[in-house]
Each structure stands twice: as structure tokens, then as C-alpha cells.
Amino acid sequence: MLGKGASSSLNPRILTTFAGDSRLIRSTRPLPLLLRSNPGIKPVSMQLSRTLSGITNLLFNRSNVDELPGIKRKRLRPGKVSPCRPVPSDIPQPPYVKSRKPPGIVSGPEVHDETGIDCMRASGRLAAQVLEYAGSLVKPGITTDEIDQAVHQMIIDNGAYPSPLGYGGFPKSVCTSVNECICHGIPDSRALEVCLTEVFDGDIVNIDVTVYLNGYHGDTSKTFYCGEVDEEAKKLVQVTKECLDKAISVCAPGVEYKKIGKTIQDHADIHRYGVVRQFVGHGVGRVFHADPVIMHYRNKDPGRMILNQTFTIEPMLTIGSINPIMWDDNWTVVTEDGSLSAQFEHTIVITKDGAEILTQC
């Protein structure tokens, strides 16, 4: 997932570099993106209409409310974050790990020859295997930090680097987004919970895995149940997965990117779910984040898909408000009203017959 820091300007510009290249590329396009907020700028809240088309910028507000009316579960609160885990020196790292420049989106799509596609298949397959293993660990009492430890170890045991680690200062090897967390949840000491009474239901948790293997990133995520969850949560998770599947099914050479957003929004609307606008899919391959920007809602993007191009689709749906709030850690993003959010993500490659999912076992 890709995002851009909060800014006092409603029309931000981005600064980014090509992987392995010292040239700086300035994009003149405004982005609807947020990955972390800029230090020193006080975020504020901005209401966003679900019917709004086009690109919107996000300015955040923080919430100190522990519980809200109508929400059965406790409001998610931060736990203790352990130190960053080490990576063996013989494992190649993405260029942004050593660079102190803020990461950004690289201009131009990720288009590959056959060798590159094979490398993308390898990184995507490993990411999928790691994600399934991480999901098997989801149970009452386990902490998201313990999931991070297991993910980290499996990735480095396979000679790969955990892409989130060190990206713009992110301190962990995986993102774990619980309940109302939309994305970028930092693994910590909070234990996952299960239904203990008739009025308290089990957690849902999205685990977002990206690996850097042989110079290529594979990026995927899935929302898991912790024990028994209520029917409302199950339906949200199911419909979010359906949105991803339907979006992938329309992809092919020459298809406009905006068809992805329309497909997702149409299906979400049937079930009266909100589609988060500030976080998008993106090109991925030799670099973590590249063109195109994949918006998951109705939009007017005129761009078209290219044969052998790789990018992610990663819709985030909510039961209630689509307005996000960022925590003081400058990463964790939760729904404004504490309502549940779910997400699924795949990396795909555009083929002559449609699209191939790269992030599956």
C-alpha cells in the first residue's frame, strides 16, 4: 500500500528516486496518498464524501477516545513496540534502507521481460507463503509482535528482506491492522482477543506482507479471523475479498485503470460499505512503489494497463466512516468512528489473456 505524508498544502508534490539510480524524479501529479505524516505539521480532520470523485489529500486528526457509543468491542489502543529485528548482512537490502531520503513513488510503470516476470513470481510466491504462515498463527492470546517475529524469521530464512522494515522509518517487518485499523498497524505487545461473552466478539486482523527477493518485491495481504467473529465482521471480510477478486477479473492489456475502482465501488455499494480513498494500489517490482496509482473507488484516471506490467490492487472497506485518523506513531491509521475495516491485496502481472495473480502459493 502506498501513501503520502500529511501537508499544509492540499496539492502536494512528491520527490522520489529510481531504485539503483541517483537521479531525482519530481512528479507534478497530486497524489491521494498517505504513508506517514510530516514531522512538525499538526494534522487536522477533513470530512470526505463517499460520492467525491478524483484525487483527495488527507489531513489527519488524532483521537483519544477509548470507547464509542454503539461499538461492542474496545477501541484499539497502542501497545509496546519492541526494537527492530536484525537482518543478516549477506541478504541484499532495498536501496531505501540505507538511504536517508524519504521514500516516494517512482515515475513510470514496472514492465518486465520473461526473466523479470519469473523473479516476480518467486517473490510473490514467497510473500504468499509467508502470509499463509502468519495467518496460521492468528489465535487468541498471541501478540502482533510475535507474528512479526515469526514473519521476520521466515523471510530472512529464505534469503529475502522484509520490505517494510526501514521503509520511511517503519520499525517492523510486517503490518498488522486489527479491527478498526485501516492499514499500517505496527506490531506490538497487544494480544489478539476472542469472543469471551455474548457482547464481545473476536478480533479481525489484516496482515500485510512484502518481501524483497533477488531484487524484486512481492506484496500481499489478507484479513484473518481470531476465533469466532460476529456475522457483521464476517460479511465485511467476505465482501472485501470479493471486491479484490472482481477487480482482478477485469484486468487485461488496454483496460483503463479506472475500471478497477468502478468494479470495487459498485460491489461495495451493493452491500452499503465504504471504500477508503486515501490509500491506493501501486506499481511494484524492482521498486516497492511505482506508477500507476490504483484508486479503489470511481475515478477518471485515463491510463491503461500494459502487457507484462505488475501492480497491486488492495481495496480497504469499512462498515462505517471512511474518514481515517492517524495515531501519534505517524503510521497506524484507524477509522474515525471506530468501525471495522478489512483489506485484501494481491500483486498481479498483466498477461495477453488477462491477469495472473503472483502472490499465491
Side-chain angles (χ1 to χ4, degrees):
M1 176 187 321
L2 182 60
K4 178 101 174 65
S7 170
S8 57
S9 169
L10 291 178
N11 190 28
R13 305 296 187 221
I14 59 170
L15 184 66
T16 182
T17 61
F18 283 100
D21 194 332
S22 61
R23 293 174 296 167
L24 293 178
I25 308 298
R26 289 186 183 271
S27 171
T28 59
R29 298 184 293 112
L31 259 64
L33 314 176
L34 170 117
L35 207 101
R36 60 191 301 269
S37 66
N38 293 330
I41 297 177
K42 183 178 180 180
V44 298
S45 175
M46 183 174 72
Q47 300 295 320
L48 302 173
S49 168
R50 290 188 185 179
T51 61
L52 179 65
S53 296
I55 294 177
T56 56
N57 183 54
L58 176 62
L59 301 177
F60 280 108
N61 189 21
R62 276 79 181 244
S63 172
N64 293 317
V65 179
D66 286 315
E67 297 185 21
L68 291 176
I71 303 297
K72 291 187 291 185
R73 56 183 53 83
K74 293 180 180 178
R75 194 72 186 261
L76 187 67
R77 305 304 297 170
K80 182 179 179 181
V81 178
S82 64
C84 296
R85 308 189 197 282
V87 177
S89 59
D90 60 331
I91 292 179
Q93 299 179 346
Y96 56 76
V97 175
K98 293 182 180 179
S99 172
R100 296 190 178 183
K101 299 171 184 175
I105 187 170
V106 172
S107 297
E110 283 284 299
V111 180
H112 310 275
D113 57 18
E114 283 302 317
T115 299
I117 292 174
D118 285 342
C119 289
M120 286 297 296
R121 288 192 180 106
S123 63
R125 184 167 54 250
L126 176 58
Q129 291 169 344
V130 172
L131 180 60
E132 288 306 303
Y133 172 58
S136 73
L137 301 176
V138 173
K139 60 184 179 182
I142 193 169
T143 67
T144 50
D145 186 62
E146 289 172 322
I147 293 174
D148 178 80
Q149 182 178 23
V151 165
H152 180 90
Q153 193 62 49
M154 183 173 179
I155 292 173
I156 64 174
D157 284 348
N158 282 275
Y161 185 91
S163 302
L165 184 62
Y167 186 87
F170 192 80
K172 289 296 175 182
S173 299
V174 67
C175 295
T176 52
S177 301
V178 179
N179 293 337
E180 69 265 32
C181 185
I182 296 171
C183 60
H184 301 159
I186 298 175
D188 61 22
S189 60
R190 180 190 182 275
L192 296 180
E193 297 177 335
V194 71
C195 180
L196 299 176
T197 72
E198 292 182 358
V199 295
F200 187 80
D201 299 292
D203 290 336
I204 60 173
V205 55
N206 176 269
I207 301 177
D208 192 337
V209 172
T210 311
V211 304
Y212 183 69
L213 178 66
N214 298 323
Y216 292 78
H217 297 271
D219 191 359
T220 186
S221 85
K222 181 177 179 179
T223 300
F224 297 92
Y225 304 140
C226 179
E228 291 296 321
V229 303
D230 61 23
E231 290 303 315
E232 185 180 52
K234 287 181 181 178
K235 183 180 177 183
L236 173 68
V237 172
Q238 176 185 339
V239 172
T240 306
K241 177 63 164 60
E242 291 169 358
C243 283
L244 174 60
D245 293 342
K246 288 177 180 292
I248 293 173
S249 73
V250 304
C251 294
V255 173
E256 293 180 313
Y257 297 121
K258 67 183 179 184
K259 192 171 184 180
I260 293 173
K262 182 180 185 305
T263 300
I264 292 170
Q265 185 86 66
D266 285 351
H267 192 58
D269 283 352
I270 291 172
H271 299 277
R272 302 183 64 83
Y273 291 137
V275 179
V276 175
R277 295 167 178 262
Q278 288 76 17
F279 301 91
V280 298
H282 52 87
V284 65
R286 290 168 291 259
V287 296
F288 198 168
H289 297 118
D291 282 330
V293 168
I294 304 296
M295 290 172 276
H296 303 121
Y297 56 93
R298 295 185 194 96
N299 63 86
K300 298 180 180 179
D301 186 350
R304 295 179 182 269
M305 301 173 199
I306 304 169
L307 183 66
N308 297 335
Q309 175 187 19
T310 51
F311 57 85
T312 71
I313 304 174
E314 44 190 296
M316 288 141 278
L317 270 59
T318 66
I319 288 177
S321 174
I322 61 171
N323 297 332
I325 292 175
M326 178 176 275
W327 282 3
D328 289 337
D329 61 21
N330 288 334
W331 286 103
T332 306
V333 179
V334 298
T335 56
E336 180 183 52
D337 59 359
S339 62
L340 290 178
S341 178
Q343 181 189 20
F344 283 82
E345 174 186 12
H346 274 309
T347 297
I348 65 172
V349 59
I350 300 302
T351 68
K352 63 180 182 179
D353 300 316
E356 175 188 343
I357 298 174
L358 298 174
T359 44
Q360 57 187 3
C361 300

